[in-house]
Amino acid sequence: MDTETQSGRMAALDWPVITSLGAVGAAPQATSPMQPTRPATEQTDKRLADLGAAFDTFDICDGAVLSFHHHYRNGDRLINAVLEEAARRGLRGLTIAPSSLFPVHVLLGAHIQSGVIGNVITDYAKGPVTDAMLSGALRSPLLLQSHGGRARALGTGALKVDVAFVGAPIAQADGACTGRGGTLPCGPLGYAMVDAGYARRTVICAHEITGAPLAHTDIPAAHVDAVVPFAHPGAVEGIASDTTLPAQTPQAQQIATLVAQVIAAAGVLRDGFSLQTGAGGFSLAAVPVIGAAMAQAGVRGSFVSGGITGAHVALQQAGLFARLHDVQCFDGAAVASSITNPDHFAMSASQYANPLHTGPIVNDLSVMVLGAVEVDRHFNINVTLGGDGRLIGGPGGHPDAAQGAQLTIVTTGLVAGGFAKLVEHVRCVTTSGKHVDVLVTDDGIAVHPKRPDLARDLEYAGLPVKPFEALMQKSALQASRARIPAALSPRLLIEDRSGGVLDWA
């Protein structure tokens, strides 16, 4: 059985595949249309005493589907608390659907092994909990969705959530809440907006419950069933960490400079230019360099979107971009801007990247700059598994923005952790190579064969364009470790953003 290639892995599956969402076919798969959001609740005082009261009121039982957001990222405290309450009650076989999981969620590992958690559906996962998720203890393989794919699944009813638990710094008694206020602000609750709109029940777990008007409203009272006082749903210092911090190395600066030069040579650096840079040290390091190129060229862009950082805010405040469209904040400077800046707009995950939305922001991007764990000769991208076989990420918004942008740039070094990053076949496909235009490394640039026009433009500009095979060979020579063999059966499934299984590992 060939599990080294995507085609071999797909051929090895018995179709349809049974997942935590039911029987699923291969991507692309026809999907149901978006449904209307849930019926409005009454505008009354919805306060309950505590999490236990929410379990009792909404009859959370064995097999329930519970969703959570990740706006506090590695500072989140709510997911652990909800699952501790479930374990205390002896519940089993729960499906959890957090938009992302982080090292702080290490306690979930014990709940997976004990059977409290039976299935996990998420967009991204990193940290010790991933070992439990891939151990075989789950009832079905871990299901990884993109941010846009998750919004699509919620909106079409493919992912039916019984109770959405939403951590918020501040809320009103009727349930209206925001992440842009209070003493523990985390920025717009872009992922939770969709959960609250489609879950059977929504419980706001608020650090502060106020009688004063909210300066911003991320989730309306009409989408809320209960409000629970919950001290410190998240630690704000956990928002900026790891992949949300730009790399500060000479290698990162070299790659960032090449990225800016690629954008200019490709002819997209002009008035109205729009930009997103994904999580990852190299891609985020490119932000100020791109800004400097814009200033030198006298270009004023239209918007920056995605996870917003202080570097993005600085570009907008310098007049280089008119607007910021924000689904989540990556650091404190972005959070502060989301509260006070009238040109800093909140957006839901559906508005951001749902392929069934009438006009997702990703479809209006001039340029998307992404990172990668592995890239192969077909320009397929792996941002899910490391060379040691451990889960170190997931789709997030990677495939959404790659497909939507006019020019998709992937950035990476040749090696990391001793493993080659440019390979014959990626360990699993997170983002299809057909949505990637150019690869930028510190040793040169490779252009997808589908873009001979772009290759000519970059060569004309004097940029170091090289065959992918040459860069791959150098990557292999610099590597000091061989990646472990591929899995023989699925521990995780990667869902295409439009539905269906894209790959597995």
Side-chain angles (χ1 to χ4, degrees):
M1 179 172 61
D2 172 22
T3 59
E4 291 295 327
T5 67
Q6 181 190 23
S7 59
R9 289 188 293 272
M10 297 296 278
L13 291 178
D14 292 326
W15 298 98
V17 176
I18 305 304
T19 77
S20 45
L21 297 182
V24 177
Q29 179 172 291
T31 188
S32 302
M34 291 290 287
Q35 300 174 0
T37 54
R38 54 171 293 173
T41 60
E42 294 182 5
Q43 308 300 293
T44 59
D45 188 331
K46 300 170 185 171
R47 285 177 288 186
L48 297 177
D50 52 28
L51 282 178
F55 272 71
D56 291 336
T57 301
F58 302 122
D59 192 26
I60 297 175
C61 58
D62 290 351
V65 180
L66 310 179
S67 76
F68 308 88
H69 70 71
H70 72 285
H71 290 283
Y72 284 108
R73 299 182 68 82
N74 200 39
D76 175 75
R77 292 183 62 249
L78 181 60
I79 299 179
N80 288 339
V82 171
L83 271 298
E84 284 294 308
E85 178 65 22
R88 187 184 70 79
R89 291 168 173 261
L91 298 184
R92 292 292 183 269
L94 300 176
T95 293
I96 64 167
S99 46
S100 291
L101 291 169
F102 295 91
V104 72
H105 299 120
V106 59
L107 297 178
L108 300 187
H111 298 313
I112 292 172
Q113 298 296 344
S114 70
V116 174
I117 298 172
N119 297 293
V120 179
I121 304 168
T122 190
D123 305 354
Y124 176 99
K126 192 170 186 178
V129 68
T130 62
D131 294 332
M133 291 193 293
L134 301 187
S135 69
L138 292 173
R139 296 184 178 184
S140 60
L142 167 68
L143 183 61
L144 293 174
Q145 300 178 309
S146 75
H147 288 329
R150 181 177 189 271
R152 170 197 51 77
L154 286 163
T156 60
L159 172 55
K160 295 179 174 65
V161 172
D162 292 307
V163 181
F165 285 93
V166 178
I170 188 167
Q172 294 177 316
D174 65 1
C177 69
T178 185
R180 295 174 287 165
T183 57
L184 299 174
C186 58
L189 300 176
Y191 297 103
M193 292 177 191
V194 185
D195 292 44
Y198 290 98
R200 184 174 64 87
R201 301 293 186 190
T202 299
V203 177
I204 306 300
C205 302
H207 179 69
E208 176 187 352
I209 300 175
T210 181
L214 299 177
H216 306 279
T217 299
D218 294 338
I219 296 175
H223 288 170
V224 177
D225 298 277
V227 182
V228 171
F230 188 90
H232 303 282
V236 295
E237 59 268 22
I239 296 173
S241 60
D242 195 16
T243 58
T244 64
L245 300 173
Q248 302 289 343
T249 64
Q251 180 191 36
Q253 288 305 303
Q254 184 178 356
I255 290 173
T257 298
L258 284 175
V259 166
Q261 292 172 339
V262 166
I263 293 171
V268 295
L269 195 67
R270 52 181 181 265
D271 285 344
F273 170 73
S274 56
L275 173 70
Q276 182 173 329
T277 53
F282 291 146
S283 52
L284 291 175
V287 175
V289 182
I290 295 170
M294 292 176 65
Q296 184 176 6
V299 169
R300 186 170 192 264
S302 55
F303 69 85
V304 177
S305 71
I308 298 297
T309 70
H312 298 125
V313 171
L315 297 190
Q316 193 271 330
Q317 292 181 341
L320 294 173
F321 286 96
R323 306 181 306 281
L324 301 168
H325 291 285
D326 191 355
V327 69
Q328 69 167 321
C329 289
F330 279 171
D331 59 27
V335 172
S337 172
S338 75
I339 296 170
T340 62
N341 183 351
D343 295 315
H344 191 145
F345 299 96
M347 64 177 171
S348 73
S350 196
Q351 293 169 313
Y352 165 49
N354 181 351
L356 297 185
H357 191 275
T358 53
I361 283 288
V362 294
N363 287 1
D364 293 329
L365 286 171
S366 303
V367 172
M368 179 67 201
V369 184
L370 296 162
V373 175
E374 291 179 325
V375 186
D376 69 22
R377 65 166 64 248
H378 303 292
F379 285 71
N380 294 315
I381 311 297
N382 164 26
V383 288
T384 302
L385 289 182
D388 58 1
R390 298 191 69 187
L391 175 60
I392 57 172
H398 202 285
D400 300 309
Q403 185 172 352
Q406 178 184 348
L407 176 66
T408 297
I409 301 171
V410 172
T411 60
T412 186
L414 297 185
V415 295
F419 295 107
K421 300 196 73 177
L422 308 186
V423 295
E424 184 72 26
H425 299 286
V426 294
R427 176 59 77 225
C428 60
V429 177
T430 316
T431 296
S432 174
K434 65 185 178 183
H435 302 310
V436 176
D437 296 293
V438 59
L439 167 68
V440 176
T441 77
D442 52 328
D443 196 68
I445 299 165
V447 180
H448 196 294
K450 70 176 182 178
R451 293 297 309 274
D453 58 320
L454 179 60
R456 287 192 297 270
D457 290 339
L458 302 190
E459 289 170 347
Y460 182 79
L463 297 181
V465 176
K466 300 180 179 181
F468 179 88
E469 289 73 13
L471 294 174
M472 181 177 68
Q473 184 178 25
K474 191 165 186 178
S475 176
L477 289 172
Q478 291 183 10
S480 58
R481 301 170 67 186
R483 65 183 184 182
I484 68 169
L488 297 179
S489 60
R491 301 171 298 162
L492 65 85
L493 300 169
I494 299 175
E495 184 186 65
D496 184 85
R497 66 187 294 251
S498 296
V501 175
L502 176 66
D503 205 350
W504 62 268

